[in-house]
Amino acid sequence: MAQPLVKKDDDRDDEADYSPFLGIEKGAVLQEARVFNDPQLDPRRCSQVITKLLYLLNQGETFTKVEATEVFFAVTKLFQSKDIGLRRMVYVMIKELSPSADEVIIVTSSLMKDMTSKTDMYRANAIRVLCRITDGTLLTQIERYLKQAIVDKNPVVASAALVSGIHLLQTNPEIVKRWSNEVQEAVQSRAALVQFHALALLHQIRQNDRLAVNKLVSSLTKGSVRSPLAQCLLIRYTSQVIRESANTQAGDRPFYDFLEGCLRHKAEMVIFEAARAITELNGVTTRELTPAITVLQLFLSSSKPVLRFAAVRTLNKVAMTHPMAVTNCNIDMESLISDQNRSIATLAITTLLKTGNESSVDRLMKQITNFMSDIADEFKIVVVEAIRSLCLKFPLKHRSLMNFLSNILREEGGFDYKKAIVDSIVILIRDIPEAKETGLLHLCEFIEDCEFTYLSTQILHFLGIEGPKTSDPSKYIRYIYNRVHLENATVRAAAVSTLAKFGAMVDTLKPRIFVLLRRCLFDNDDEVRDRATLYLNTLGGDGAVVQTGEDVKEFLFGSLDIPLVNLENSLKNYEPSEESFDIYSVPREVKTQPLAEKKAPGKKPTGLGAPPAGPPSTVDAYEKLLSSIPEFANFGKLFKSSAPVELTEAETEYAVNVVKHIFDGHVVFQYNCTNTIPEQLLENVTVIVDASEAEEFAEVASKPLRSLPYDSPGQTFVAFEKPEGIPAVGKFSNMLRFIVKEVDPSTGEAEDDGVEDEYQLEELEVVAADYILKVGVSNFRNAWESMGADCERIDEYGLGPRESLAEAVNAVIDLLGMQPCEGTEVVPNNSRSHTCLLSGVYIGNVKVLVRLQFGLDGPKDVAMKLAVRSEDEAVSDAIHEIVASG
């Protein structure tokens, strides 16, 4: 039962938590629903019970079929009441219950009677309910009434019919499309909502006909739309037509005059919609932007927070691509820094940071300092990222901006906020050489009081890379060694590694480092002691034979080009013996989906096609499988296995996919086959491969599959020889050949005689990406510098028109088949340039690093600069050939 309404005190929190429906139960409410059957109906009480039922439904309470049916029939009895308020509740309840087809008949006559009633409220609601619960058959019976309702003089009735048409268009489009004449007439209505709904429905009816949409926009942009809501909708449709138009050159842009004219409309929503549409035009020029920027500037000083927010957010987006066009608004935006709405203030600051000039930086920093303490961390992160961009834009101002970041770094804040600041300082240190020493000292001061283990370890790692390169590396040793005494084991271990890096890079510090590392040998943590022992041995601090300087630096600074998952699995599988663990035996391919098999729905794959039960990686499982087949045993070490490529459509009688296994001088195709027909047994299953379009390949061996019962995956193999170490490419046609035998469903026995049959499969390609392993590096910049420029090859390419910069980036990544590094595969929205970093291992175990720089050359044309570094200049040339031919 509902709690009794009691007088509340002045505590707003208590009022917010109080609900009149607190504690109601479904069973009790269903008992109350019996009042619907009373001879003398109490409209008020019935309305209260319906309200409780609706509350339960909206809270996720489920009614059984019996309960829902009983409630539905009880509610239908309320049609006898003439109370308007109760009738409206009945309409809502029927819509929520969504009665079945046989139950709809019960209320259809009552609803149709209401639909032709003289009471407009009855008519409008009856139309909404009927269209919600009806099917196509009944819809044809009431179509005449709906057409009349669309052009009804009462706007409530007309809007109800139009909105119903929008919903019905999803399920009965052919019927709704017959209403075009009536909807066209409703578009000329003087009622604002009717015109709005009519335009929305008319556009949906014509949306698949580009020419019809163009005609609709052309006719309406001449001034026949009065409703501000409809005008906003028309602006959006006009923008769509402009985007889809082939001619987007400035001056010839269709309908631009209409958009500009809407900037002088008396309704603020129309003005803003037009301004926003102009700023989002593809290839918009400064001349076209100017009138839109002018009206948005006026909105910045509006008394309405929603207008100020809309204007500053739009200008913030414009500043990403046309910062100079927004500079005229800077004075108005500076006044918004103190706006009571923190969202407006944050957007104003970030926009100013994007559009400000070098002379305004110091003034902005003073205003932001007072502002930062009043906003939440999520807004602070936005400001920090904007400051980082400003510093990269004006590197001479790095000192004041770096000091600002250092000051806020010592203030209170959560992990994400502190990480954003640390990341920004790190980027500034890397990109602005003059900021290196100041930035490193700021980071050292921060880790003195840092409460986040992750940030401390990352700073120490970065300090070990950049610190030794400064003019006075010794001043950082104190900060690092303090971590060994004052932090948890994870940070202490990271500090030991950082000390070792200083010892390897700075000879004058080596004696001091040895002393500090020896002290770490008495730490109470195994990891710390083990690292100290390892580094002392490596650097020669314990009297051992010292490795060459280059070997030491490669050990301490070189990137681990082995996936950690593969290393972990190999160590788990290693059995102690006289032969030590060989790290070169660890597979270098990024772990993919294990031996994926296409299978019949609802069945689990078994045999070799099933995912391995134990920890071995995919590469390990494939290598063991192939080495167990005598025909392939002398092919050498497996370089790479591809992800499965589907050769059949879904739900076909035979499911086949193929895995490409790459060796130095051979390629083996593993065809994973599944028989999805219970009444058939396949025997002597082979794949006939036509390599006429792959001239560099010659078939040398094949291994048929003896038997393929229903839903029991099996494999057949075909091997090809190719030039050793050469990334040969080609296209292969595939035909599945087998003997099919009928199976008796009752006994499961197959007939003795079978029939030879064939099944055409999709074509298969071996591409250049098949010869490159996806192998990431932990620090791309270090790996790039250590690789050296001896085998570097740089060239520029035009990629032609693309839908977006992101599409171009993904296309090149897919073409090369390399591993994106440091999240650079993600292209920020509205970017006109982007840098993507890739790493991998080329066939022959040659490490390859790629730096891709993309830029928009015109509205959609993409240009790319490709820089490749590898251990072999022939490999660098090969990567360029892949891109040039791809």
Side-chain angles (χ1 to χ4, degrees):
M1 296 293 291
Q3 295 292 319
L5 184 64
V6 296
K7 186 177 181 180
K8 305 296 289 181
D9 57 23
D10 293 334
D11 190 332
R12 295 296 180 101
D13 292 337
D14 288 345
E15 287 182 5
D17 292 338
Y18 178 75
S19 168
F21 303 107
L22 190 64
I24 66 172
E25 297 177 358
K26 182 177 73 171
V29 177
L30 291 175
Q31 289 290 331
E32 288 186 65
R34 293 180 177 178
V35 300
F36 300 161
N37 299 316
D38 290 350
Q40 296 294 325
L41 290 174
D42 183 347
R44 177 167 180 164
R45 190 179 176 195
C46 291
S47 295
Q48 290 174 345
V49 175
I50 291 178
T51 303
K52 292 178 183 179
L53 288 167
L54 291 170
Y55 173 79
L56 290 172
L57 288 169
N58 281 281
Q59 291 299 307
E61 189 74 56
T62 55
F63 289 2
T64 66
K65 178 65 175 173
V66 174
E67 290 170 343
T69 302
E70 289 179 354
V71 171
F72 173 73
F73 280 111
V75 168
T76 58
K77 295 180 181 180
L78 300 179
F79 273 105
Q80 59 186 307
S81 172
K82 301 299 182 183
D83 186 86
I84 294 178
L86 178 58
R87 183 65 61 89
R88 296 181 69 180
M89 296 298 289
V90 170
Y91 291 137
V92 176
M93 193 67 200
I94 291 173
K95 281 205 299 183
E96 289 295 323
L97 285 173
S98 298
S100 58
D102 53 342
E103 295 171 343
V104 167
I105 301 172
I106 307 299
V107 293
T108 299
S109 58
S110 299
L111 290 172
M112 291 185 70
K113 182 180 177 183
D114 283 354
M115 196 167 67
T116 56
S117 168
K118 294 181 179 179
T119 307
D120 291 334
M121 192 278 296
Y122 284 1
R123 292 166 60 204
N125 283 299
I127 289 170
R128 292 178 187 274
V129 178
L130 262 176
C131 292
R132 173 71 176 269
I133 66 176
T134 191
D135 57 10
T137 306
L138 180 60
L139 187 59
T140 55
Q141 299 177 23
I142 63 172
E143 183 181 5
R144 178 169 60 89
Y145 298 107
L146 292 174
K147 283 184 175 183
Q148 291 174 353
I150 288 173
V151 294
D152 196 275
K153 293 180 180 179
N154 188 297
V156 177
V157 175
S159 276
L162 290 165
V163 172
S164 298
I166 292 172
H167 292 304
L168 288 170
L169 194 64
Q170 311 303 319
T171 54
N172 297 278
E174 295 305 320
I175 294 178
V176 178
K177 286 178 181 178
R178 297 201 293 258
W179 307 350
S180 291
N181 292 336
E182 287 76 14
V183 177
Q184 184 77 51
E185 186 178 341
V187 170
Q188 308 303 323
S189 171
R190 291 183 175 274
L193 274 179
V194 174
Q195 193 173 48
F196 172 64
H197 290 141
L199 179 56
L201 178 55
L202 192 59
H203 179 266
Q204 285 200 24
I205 290 173
R206 300 182 179 182
Q207 63 182 349
N208 295 323
D209 186 344
R210 186 171 167 180
L211 182 60
V213 172
N214 278 348
K215 288 182 178 179
L216 173 64
V217 170
S218 297
S219 63
L220 294 178
T221 51
K222 295 175 182 176
S224 59
V225 178
R226 302 180 186 86
S227 163
L229 287 169
Q231 188 82 348
C232 289
L233 209 54
L234 180 59
I235 290 171
R236 294 187 182 184
Y237 298 153
T238 304
S239 300
Q240 179 186 347
V241 170
I242 293 175
R243 280 195 301 272
E244 293 174 352
S245 173
N247 183 7
T248 57
Q249 295 301 315
D252 297 329
R253 201 188 298 276
F255 304 116
Y256 173 79
D257 291 340
F258 166 72
L259 294 179
E260 189 177 12
C262 290
L263 296 174
R264 296 182 288 275
H265 198 278
K266 59 182 179 181
E268 291 168 337
M269 71 169 77
V270 176
I271 297 172
F272 171 73
E273 193 68 38
R276 187 170 67 89
I278 290 174
T279 61
E280 292 178 354
L281 292 175
N282 291 331
V284 64
T285 64
T286 303
R287 184 187 65 80
E288 291 171 329
L289 273 176
T290 301
I293 299 295
T294 302
V295 298
L296 291 172
Q297 185 177 4
L298 294 174
F299 283 168
L300 291 176
S301 55
S302 170
S303 59
K304 300 176 182 178
V306 67
L307 279 180
R308 298 199 302 274
F309 175 78
V312 75
R313 186 175 67 167
T314 305
L315 290 171
N316 186 278
K317 291 179 180 178
V318 176
M320 295 179 183
T321 52
H322 297 80
M324 296 305 297
V326 186
T327 52
N328 291 337
C329 306
N330 283 2
I331 296 176
D332 298 275
M333 279 190 286
E334 283 189 30
S335 64
L336 295 180
I337 294 178
S338 57
D339 197 284
Q340 292 181 347
N341 188 307
R342 297 290 83 184
S343 297
I344 295 175
T346 305
L347 285 168
I349 284 178
T350 53
T351 308
L352 285 168
L353 291 173
K354 292 171 186 173
T355 60
N357 53 40
E358 198 163 359
S359 60
S360 65
V361 170
D362 293 329
R363 186 178 75 253
L364 278 175
M365 288 299 102
K366 289 180 183 177
Q367 292 178 286
I368 294 173
T369 302
N370 301 326
F371 164 79
M372 291 293 281
S373 59
D374 298 333
I375 59 175
D377 279 6
E378 57 184 313
F379 295 127
K380 291 179 181 177
I381 292 172
V382 176
V383 175
V384 167
E385 291 172 348
I387 289 173
R388 179 181 70 205
S389 300
L390 184 68
C391 192
L392 294 173
K393 183 179 179 182
F394 303 120
L396 293 177
K397 289 293 182 180
H398 75 269
R399 191 174 300 279
S400 60
L401 294 172
M402 191 73 84
N403 286 336
F404 174 81
L405 291 175
S406 174
N407 290 334
I408 62 175
L409 188 57
R410 290 192 288 268
E411 295 174 358
E412 293 293 325
F415 171 78
D416 291 334
Y417 173 47
K418 293 298 179 73
K419 183 177 182 298
I421 302 173
V422 170
D423 289 346
S424 296
I425 294 177
V426 166
I427 291 171
L428 297 180
I429 290 172
R430 286 178 175 172
D431 293 353
I432 305 176
E434 297 81 5
K436 180 177 288 186
E437 298 206 12
T438 306
L440 289 175
L441 279 176
H442 288 323
L443 292 177
C444 287
E445 291 168 358
F446 169 62
I447 59 173
E448 295 276 275
D449 302 309
C450 180
E451 57 185 306
F452 302 108
T453 297
Y454 174 81
L455 290 181
S456 295
T457 56
Q458 292 300 303
I459 290 172
L460 286 167
H461 172 70
F462 181 70
L463 196 58
I465 297 170
E466 298 293 339
K469 301 175 185 176
T470 58
S471 59
D472 184 13
S474 62
K475 62 185 175 184
Y476 305 110
I477 300 299
R478 174 175 62 86
Y479 295 102
I480 300 169
Y481 187 64
N482 282 347
R483 300 306 97 215
V484 177
H485 288 294
L486 305 175
E487 292 285 359
N488 58 49
T490 304
V491 178
R492 296 203 305 273
V496 169
S497 297
T498 304
L499 286 172
K501 291 175 181 177
F502 273 79
M505 295 291 289
V506 187
D507 290 337
T508 57
L509 290 177
K510 193 171 286 187
R512 182 180 175 189
I513 297 297
F514 287 160
V515 172
L516 298 178
L517 288 177
R518 288 192 189 100
R519 292 178 185 174
C520 297
L521 295 174
F522 302 99
D523 195 275
N524 59 6
D525 182 74
D526 292 343
E527 175 76 9
V528 177
R529 293 197 304 273
D530 289 348
R531 288 197 187 195
T533 304
L534 173 65
Y535 295 137
L536 279 169
N537 181 273
T538 304
L539 296 172
D542 58 354
V545 178
V546 185
Q547 303 177 54
T548 65
E550 289 302 317
D551 288 339
V552 172
K553 290 176 183 177
E554 175 63 24
F555 174 72
L556 289 171
F557 295 96
S559 59
L560 182 66
D561 59 356
I562 300 171
L564 291 177
V565 173
N566 294 3
L567 178 60
E568 180 186 5
N569 289 333
S570 296
L571 287 170
K572 286 180 179 178
N573 297 331
Y574 172 69
E575 296 179 0
S577 63
E578 294 181 1
E579 185 177 349
S580 61
F581 177 78
D582 182 10
I583 195 167
Y584 294 103
S585 67
V586 180
R588 281 165 165 73
E589 184 181 11
V590 176
K591 187 175 181 180
T592 56
Q593 192 69 19
L595 291 172
E597 278 293 347
K598 193 172 180 181
K599 57 187 184 300
K603 302 290 184 180
K604 294 183 179 179
T606 56
L608 290 170
S617 71
T618 306
V619 178
D620 292 335
Y622 281 137
E623 195 153 26
K624 288 178 181 178
L625 170 64
L626 294 170
S627 62
S628 67
I629 301 173
E631 291 89 339
F632 313 142
N634 62 347
F635 285 0
K637 184 170 177 59
L638 177 64
F639 174 70
K640 177 182 178 180
S641 296
S642 74
V645 179
E646 299 294 343
L647 299 182
T648 55
E649 297 290 338
E651 306 300 331
T652 53
E653 52 265 54
Y654 309 115
V656 181
N657 63 46
V658 63
V659 177
K660 296 173 279 187
H661 301 295
I662 309 296
F663 296 84
D664 274 350
H666 297 82
V667 174
V668 176
F669 296 146
Q670 173 187 326
Y671 295 92
N672 302 312
C673 309
T674 304
N675 172 18
T676 63
I677 304 177
E679 299 81 13
Q680 288 186 358
L681 170 68
L682 307 186
E683 291 185 347
N684 196 24
V685 181
T686 59
V687 176
I688 307 302
V689 183
D690 178 5
S692 57
E693 295 185 59
E695 297 177 354
E696 296 182 271
F697 294 83
E699 185 173 336
V700 293
S702 64
K703 180 174 173 55
L705 178 61
R706 287 186 180 180
S707 176
L708 188 63
Y710 165 66
D711 196 37
S712 180
Q715 291 79 33
T716 177
F717 300 84
V718 180
F720 286 84
E721 189 176 30
K722 69 174 188 65
E724 190 162 342
I726 301 297
V729 298
K731 186 179 291 185
F732 302 82
S733 301
N734 304 280
M735 177 74 74
L736 187 68
R737 183 173 293 172
F738 48 85
I739 295 173
V740 59
K741 293 184 177 181
E742 296 296 325
V743 176
D744 187 343
S746 59
T747 63
E749 296 293 328
E751 295 179 357
D752 294 334
D753 297 327
V755 179
E756 188 169 310
D757 199 359
E758 292 181 343
Y759 188 82
Q760 184 65 50
L761 304 176
E762 298 287 341
E763 289 185 336
L764 166 67
E765 278 192 272
V766 173
V767 296
D770 290 325
Y771 297 96
I772 303 176
L773 283 174
K774 289 186 175 182
V775 178
V777 293
S778 56
N779 187 309
F780 186 89
R781 182 175 180 177
N782 283 350
W784 181 266
E785 291 176 354
S786 63
M787 187 79 73
D790 295 340
C791 300
E792 182 176 13
R793 295 291 182 271
I794 302 175
D795 206 346
E796 296 181 355
Y797 300 89
L799 304 184
R802 300 279 176 170
E803 284 299 316
S804 65
L805 209 57
E807 184 204 337
V809 172
N810 292 330
V812 177
I813 292 175
D814 292 341
L815 176 66
L816 294 176
M818 298 177 71
Q819 179 69 30
C821 301
E822 301 176 6
T824 54
E825 71 275 17
V826 179
V827 181
N829 292 332
N830 301 313
S831 291
R832 295 189 63 80
S833 62
H834 184 70
T835 299
C836 181
L837 311 175
L838 306 175
S839 69
V841 174
Y842 196 77
I843 188 167
N845 287 322
V846 181
K847 296 179 183 176
V848 185
L849 298 175
V850 169
R851 177 177 282 161
L852 301 164
Q853 293 176 295
F854 297 86
L856 287 175
D857 183 15
K860 289 191 176 182
D861 287 342
V862 178
M864 181 184 75
K865 182 179 181 181
L866 169 63
V868 182
R869 287 188 180 184
S870 71
E871 299 169 332
D872 184 342
E873 60 183 353
V875 172
S876 298
D877 290 333
I879 298 297
H880 276 277
E881 288 176 15
I882 293 171
V883 173
S885 60

